[in-house]
Structure formats: C-alpha cells, structure tokens
Amino acid sequence: MESKDVLLNIGISSISGYMSGRYASKQNINTTLSASYIIYIDGTTIKAVNGTTGVVDFSGSDAATVINNAIGNLSSGGNVFIFAGTYNITSSISPGYPNSSRRNNIWLYGAGDATILILSPGASINLNLVDNIKISNLYIDCSNHTTINSDYGIVTVDANNINIDKVTVYNAYGFGICITASTTAKNITVQNCILNGTGNQDVIGGGCNVPSAILSDIIYKNNFVTQSTSIGHTYNVAIDNVKTYRTQIINNSVYGGIVLGNENFPNTYTEIIGNLVKPALNQTPGFISVWTSSNATTNAKYISIRDNIIQGGHIEILGIPSQYTLFSEINNNIIDASFDTLAINVQYGNLINIIGNLITSGGIEVPNSSDISIRNNQISNSTNGINLYSSPTIYATENTFKNVTNPFVGLGGSNVTIKNNIGYVTENSGSSTGTGAQQTVAHGLAITPTRQQIALTAGSATALPFHSAAPDATNIYVTAALNQAWYWATVGT
C-alpha cells in the first residue's frame, strides 16, 4: 500500500489540504507520500501508520512514546512525518532513545507551524550520539519549561551531520537549540528557523568544556533569533558558542548578542557575516563579541567579522595578556553605536584589520594591541574617533571623520603611522617669502609636526639657509637668510 493510500485511509480527502502551516509546499506533500511512518491524532489516541503497509504499528495516548517507537522500528533509517495537530510531549523525542535502539539516518518533519509540539519540563528533541539526522517543519513550544540549563527545545550531544531546518522554537526558557560535544561532533546546520528565547539562556548555544572535545563545522544561517524579556528576565545573548572550529554565522536576524565565548577554550576559523543585529527586546544593546577567558591556554584566531549591521551596539575582539587574539578582521560593517558610544573594541589583539566600517555615535579603540591596520573607516557624531591607547605598531590611514570632537586619542605608541585621513590633517605644505625676519606660518596640522622641511623650490631637497624654532601645535617658525620665496612641508607622524 502506498503512503497516498494511507493518508486517504486516515480520513484526508485532499492530499494538499493538511499542509496549512508555514513552509507548506509541494515538497512537503511529495516527501509525505514517501514517509516511512505517518504520525497523527485520532481522537485522544496518537497513531503511527506504516507508510508502506498502511498498518497502524504503534498507538497510545503518549505522543513521545509513539514517535520514538516509530523511529526505533527504522533500523536502517527513514522518514517520520508528524501530521498537523497539537501534540503534548511529556518525554523527549529521540533517535537515541532508548539507547538500545539508537537510530541514524532519520528525517523527522511536520506540516510547518501546523505541527505543534508542546514540551513538558525536561522534554526535548534529543539527538544524542546519532548521525545523519534532519529535523524540519515543526513548531516547538517550550512555554512549560522551567530550568535554565537542562530544558531545551532541541539538543545535540556528540552528534554528526545534523540539519535543523524551518523549525520554530517558541518561548525557550533554557536553550532553544543546544549543540554540545564531550568527544566529537561536526557538520551541524541550523537554518531558516524562527527561535525565541525568554531572556534566561542562549537561544542558540553550546560548545565544549572538555579539553579533548572537538566541535566543528557549525553553520547558523538565515535564522530569525529573538531574545525576549516577556517574563522579566534580562539575559541578552542570543547566539553563543564555546570552543568551536570552522563556525559560520551568516545572514541571521538577531535581537540580542552574538558571542563566541572562550570559557577556557577559544574559537578558531570563524566567520560572522551579513547578520542584522538589533537590541534584545529589553533594549540592551545588540553586539558581536569574541572573547578569551582569563585561564585560557591557547589563542583565539582566524576570526572574520564582516558585512554585518549592528543597531545600537558594538563589535569587540577581546584577548588577554597571555593569549592575544590573532589574524582576525572586522571589516565592512555598519555600526550604530548609540546605545554604547563604542563601536569597535580590539583588546589584546595582534595582526588585526579594521577596514571599511561605517560608524555613527561611537569610535574605535585598540588598547594593549599591536600590528593593527585601521583603514578606510568612516566615523561620525562621536566624541572620540580612534583611541590608540598608546599601542605600538598601528597603521591608521585613509579614515574619514565627521562631527568627531577628538579624531585621534591616545597617541604616543612606537611605530605609529597616521596619514591621509579626512578630518585629521597630518601632512601639509605651502610657500612664503623670505625677508630675513622670523615668519610665523600656520601649518594646519591636527598635531605638532614631528618633521618639517624648508626648501628653495617646492618638493626640492635643496635646503634654504634658515634658522627655525621648534614648531608647536599651531605654527612653524622660520627666519630665512635670503630675500626670496621659500617652501615648507610638515608631517605630524
């Protein structure tokens, strides 16, 4: 018997009629026709119809038990479709439950937002030690959850090749989606999801707290993630990963923070690209943060943060004195720092590029950092523009300042190059007439010149005999020995 006939047998007169939820599509219909099991509600009974035989293999009043039994019967894998309806899930749904019947190669999916799973405290979709699992087209309601660190919408533990697609997780009290590894986990994708937290814990989060564990190749893309405070809580981090390798956080709309927290073990090879980051719903700033904890023993490195839009917040890369963050970039972001007054902060960083950012209502700071290139940024409407904190080996060139009170602050570090910036003149030249008397010439630089040249012709290396007093913040002072025109040039740094 084909699955189409099964659907007709359970009282569905139109194959497309049941696909009323978000993400309903022809693809949903076609894949349902080939489902290994179809889960549906018949009065007060949950039934699992075998998609091949048309026989109800499992039934009962507990939805999780029926679904797990159906999954457990697929020893070689298969597809389990959960029909539109509201299912009270009193215990976890899991291809890994019970452990003796752990199943790989499972696709668990529903009719979009029309398939509603209401989770009881402690219940989740639990992907423990399984491989090749897809979860899609489900609405998961976590409103009954009460425990921050043990209640999840979906949790993966040492799982590989996981795809979570077109899933809504509503009112996550703890983690909405938690991805963890105590040994090895890789190739995990969360995409096209709507995820809502209640201000207690990360909406998407996880990582490794074990030195030998490896969590790698993680992708979060095209998700809508909100950190709410509807019940008065104030936690504002929406996405948070610890010790992950090759992570991509791409094209998400996020209300809250994106954090790559070290917690002993840093993240490496990470891209945070094209995200729209807004304040959490409690109006704390939206932000992106890559930080290293005080007891870390290795460096965070190869971090690329680019092409994001930050509303009201900032971007930061924070190393520690013993473990600088290395080989990273903050490029081509649009940052409104009106909540923070600081747009970009790189602390204890080395070999970092800060290039092409458009910033308003905040500045750039690089305390305790070195080998930093700050180029082609536009900064407006800020008290401070770029604060170097006397850090060494800084290259600050071709930046533009508009309505910035102090374009550069914290000069004084060694090997600092500041030139060709708009709104902060560090190079100038002009001409005057030698009369034998001291002449005072305004040099027009933003700072006291460190070098000056006086010559007979513009650009000439032939020095004019002259006497000169030391320049100050406003003028150069020259007494010419010849009564003829002479030329000057000054450099600030």
Side-chain angles (χ1 to χ4, degrees), residues 60-77:
S61 60
D62 186 80
T65 299
V66 173
I67 295 169
N68 282 328
N69 285 337
I71 293 171
N73 205 40
L74 300 174
S75 59
S76 299

Side-chain angles (χ1 to χ4, degrees), residues 411-425:
L411 302 176
S414 61
N415 300 316
V416 172
T417 298
I418 300 175
K419 65 179 182 180
N420 298 331
N421 297 284
I422 297 174
Y424 189 83
V425 180

Side-chain angles (χ1 to χ4, degrees), residues 218-299:
I218 310 301
I219 299 174
Y220 304 143
K221 67 179 182 180
N222 300 329
N223 300 292
F224 185 81
V225 187
T226 61
Q227 188 62 283
S228 178
T229 53
S230 58
I231 54 176
H233 300 102
T234 58
Y235 188 75
N236 67 342
V237 176
I239 299 175
D240 185 2
N241 269 40
V242 177
K243 196 196 175 190
T244 57
Y245 300 88
R246 296 187 299 273
T247 298
Q248 294 180 310
I249 303 173
I250 302 174
N251 295 338
N252 301 282
S253 181
V254 178
Y255 285 74
I258 297 175
V259 175
L260 300 180
N262 185 325
E263 298 181 21
N264 306 334
F265 314 110
N267 297 329
T268 59
Y269 301 103
T270 295
E271 293 181 301
I272 305 174
I273 305 172
N275 300 283
L276 173 61
V277 182
K278 296 184 176 183
L281 297 186
N282 64 349
Q283 294 300 298
T284 54
F287 62 94
I288 296 174
S289 177
V290 179
W291 63 276
T292 301
S293 67
S294 59
N295 53 352
T297 57
T298 57
N299 305 90

